[in-house]
Amino acid sequence: MSRPESSLSIALVGPGRVGRSLLERLQAHAPETWQLMAVADSTRLRRGPIERSEWAQPFADEAFQPRASDRDWQDELLRRDGIPVLIDASASAEVADAHADCLARGIHVVTANKLAMACPSSDWERLRAASERSMYGISATVGAGLPVLDSLRELRRAGEPVRRIRGVLSGSLSALSEGLSVGRRASEVLETLRRDGLTEPDPRTDLGGLDVARKLVILAREAGLDLSLDALVVDSLVPEELAALSLDSFLRSGAVLDRHVAQCVDRAPGSGRHLAYVAELEVDGRACVGLRRLDDGDSLAQLSGQGNRIEVTTECYAAAPLSIEGPGAGLEVTALALWRDLVRISESVRRCR
Ligand SMILES: NC(=O)C1=CN([C@@H]2O[C@H](COP(=O)(O)OP(=O)(O)OC[C@H]3O[C@@H](n4cnc5c(N)ncnc54)[C@H](OP(=O)(O)O)[C@@H]3O)[C@@H](O)[C@H]2O)C=CC1
Ligand SMILES: N[C@@H](CC=O)C(=O)O
């Protein structure tokens, strides 16, 4: 006998490229019992319940207000009968800071935003403890939903210690490395990647290695290893003189970027003919991310497009690492990862009834 769907009361923060893709999916496929109770961007708030026909365009009419306190709509989510869920599809530190509070108050959180999971060590214990109170869906934060975080969590629960993680963790840098290998200019490749929704809102977060560093911290934490951003060696592809410019000025500085990236390519460690931006973590805590020249036989040299590959070495997976490969960025795969976490919350609540 099929049981009724759980009713979810959803608030979505960050209806940008990823957020809109998810809203379209929700509008088309969410069970009737799911309600959209709030949508907020950096300045606007639309309170619900919102008519389903308007989910994909929540700010299309004037039915929104300036965004003030989030506490009000969070309180309302908690007062409703449905299961309260916050979806964070922003890249905002302010929204990330609210994850631990929401989880501690009984609001489940589903996020594409990596900032909370990659927080400083001093904040980590609080977030970890809060995520035992409510469900924390983080599948979208690494590999755009490739099943790597689930695998690491299961290895940890099974008592199988992780010794090493190595991989290509950025879809945009994977595609950039491929473009550079065949002689394309960095600025030209970057423009296409931005248009296709593969970069961070500010692509310097990708080029500077910070996005990859955050993902490595998230992988390490999910594997039960102690790593924080300040312990990582990060090789940046962003020239210093472009680091503090406004986004528009940075995007107009293609020639400077191209010269700098060409120097980074010349200086990249290794002797092979394949370029890749590689993340490495050893069990003793040594961790680095940077551009490398890889030999033909290297498994990471075989990637194309926005391909990611994550290799996990454990005692059982010693001779050959556990390897997970697939597209590591993209609006639809990321929205699908968020959707899968929502379905997981809905099903797990249904099972507990
Ligand atoms: N693209 C991809 O392949 C993947 C992306 N992600 C993650 O998805 C997230 C979203 O990326 P993307 O959709 O490209 O980003 P966008 O810039 O397109 O959208 C970001 C959204 O967040 C909103 N926002 C910004 N600051 C705040 C704030 N303080 N409070 C509420 N909303 C805010 C923006 O609103 P406003 O317009 O008002 O600023 C906008 O609606 C990022 O964290 C990214 O790392 C994760 C995996 C893969
Ligand atoms: N900008 C990121 C998107 C996913 O996290 C990437 O390039 O991998």
Side-chain angles (χ1 to χ4, degrees):
M1 195 177 85
S2 73
R3 282 177 289 180
E5 294 290 342
S6 310
S7 50
L8 299 190
S9 286
I10 297 171
L12 183 138
V13 180
R17 297 173 302 177
V18 169
R20 273 199 308 275
S21 181
L22 177 64
L23 285 169
E24 282 164 17
R25 179 176 279 273
L26 284 166
Q27 181 168 322
H29 300 295
E32 288 305 319
T33 52
W34 293 13
Q35 288 198 311
L36 187 58
M37 295 305 303
V39 178
D41 63 13
S42 63
T43 55
R44 297 172 296 183
L45 169 65
R46 167 109 188 246
R47 298 183 80 129
I50 301 173
E51 285 289 332
R52 181 182 281 250
S53 58
E54 296 172 30
W55 287 9
Q57 301 282 346
F59 295 130
D61 64 18
E62 296 302 307
F64 56 82
Q65 57 197 78
R67 180 163 164 223
S69 161
D70 289 347
R71 196 76 182 186
D72 292 350
W73 57 254
Q74 288 172 13
D75 289 344
E76 183 154 342
L77 281 188
L78 288 167
R79 274 199 302 272
R80 297 226 143 220
D81 287 339
I83 317 300
V85 184
L86 164 69
I87 302 169
D88 181 357
S90 78
S92 147
E94 180 198 348
V95 184
D97 281 348
H99 289 191
D101 268 351
C102 285
L103 292 164
R105 300 180 78 203
I107 299 175
H108 305 287
V109 176
V110 168
T111 184
N113 183 353
K114 300 147 201 144
L115 271 68
M117 271 299 289
C119 63
S121 303
S122 50
D123 297 334
W124 168 237
E125 182 46 36
R126 183 164 160 264
L127 181 64
R128 201 202 54 71
S131 69
E132 286 179 4
R133 165 92 170 74
S134 310
M135 290 183 72
Y136 195 24
I138 58 168
S139 306
T141 59
V142 179
L146 294 177
V148 58
L149 292 168
D150 284 348
S151 305
L152 287 172
R153 196 173 307 135
E154 281 167 17
L155 288 171
R156 174 163 50 83
R157 286 191 186 138
E160 175 73 358
V162 168
R163 293 177 179 168
R164 183 169 198 245
I165 297 174
R166 177 174 185 263
V168 167
L169 309 181
S170 165
S172 55
L173 293 185
S174 188
L176 176 68
S177 310
E178 189 184 25
L180 295 173
S181 299
V182 296
R184 292 182 67 197
R185 281 182 294 116
S187 56
E188 172 206 345
V189 182
L190 193 63
E191 200 179 308
T192 316
L193 298 175
R194 283 192 76 224
R195 196 195 54 216
D196 294 345
L198 302 183
T199 64
E200 293 304 295
D202 185 333
R204 284 171 290 189
T205 312
D206 298 296
L207 290 169
L210 181 57
D211 186 67
V212 173
R214 286 181 177 141
K215 288 171 178 164
L216 191 58
V217 169
I218 297 172
L219 288 172
R221 288 179 170 167
E222 214 50 25
L225 301 173
D226 185 19
L227 181 69
S228 58
L229 283 178
D230 52 14
L232 261 154
V233 179
V234 179
D235 289 345
S236 173
L237 302 180
V238 179
E240 249 173 62
E241 66 260 47
L242 301 189
L245 296 186
S246 69
L247 178 56
D248 282 347
S249 306
F250 167 73
L251 294 172
R252 282 196 302 270
S253 309
V256 179
L257 177 69
D258 292 342
R259 266 198 309 279
H260 180 78
V261 171
Q263 287 164 4
C264 294
V265 169
D266 287 343
R267 287 198 299 256
S271 52
R273 63 190 175 101
H274 299 275
L275 284 170
Y277 197 91
V278 177
E280 291 171 278
L281 167 67
E282 301 291 341
V283 69
D284 62 9
R286 274 179 301 145
C288 58
V289 303
L291 195 64
R292 307 282 181 262
R293 294 184 159 280
L294 305 180
D295 297 326
D296 289 358
D298 194 311
S299 50
L300 300 183
Q302 320 306 326
L303 296 170
S304 64
Q306 67 260 45
N308 280 193
R309 182 179 170 97
I310 299 106
E311 299 178 340
V312 180
T313 305
T314 72
E315 198 172 308
C316 287
Y317 291 107
L322 172 69
S323 304
I324 295 167
E325 186 176 322
L331 301 182
E332 286 185 1
V333 281
T334 307
L336 177 62
L338 294 168
W339 166 266
R340 280 170 22 218
D341 280 345
L342 286 171
V343 170
R344 189 185 301 199
I345 290 172
S346 164
E347 291 193 337
S348 110
V349 171
R350 195 173 56 166
R351 269 200 302 277
C352 293
R353 273 190 190 146

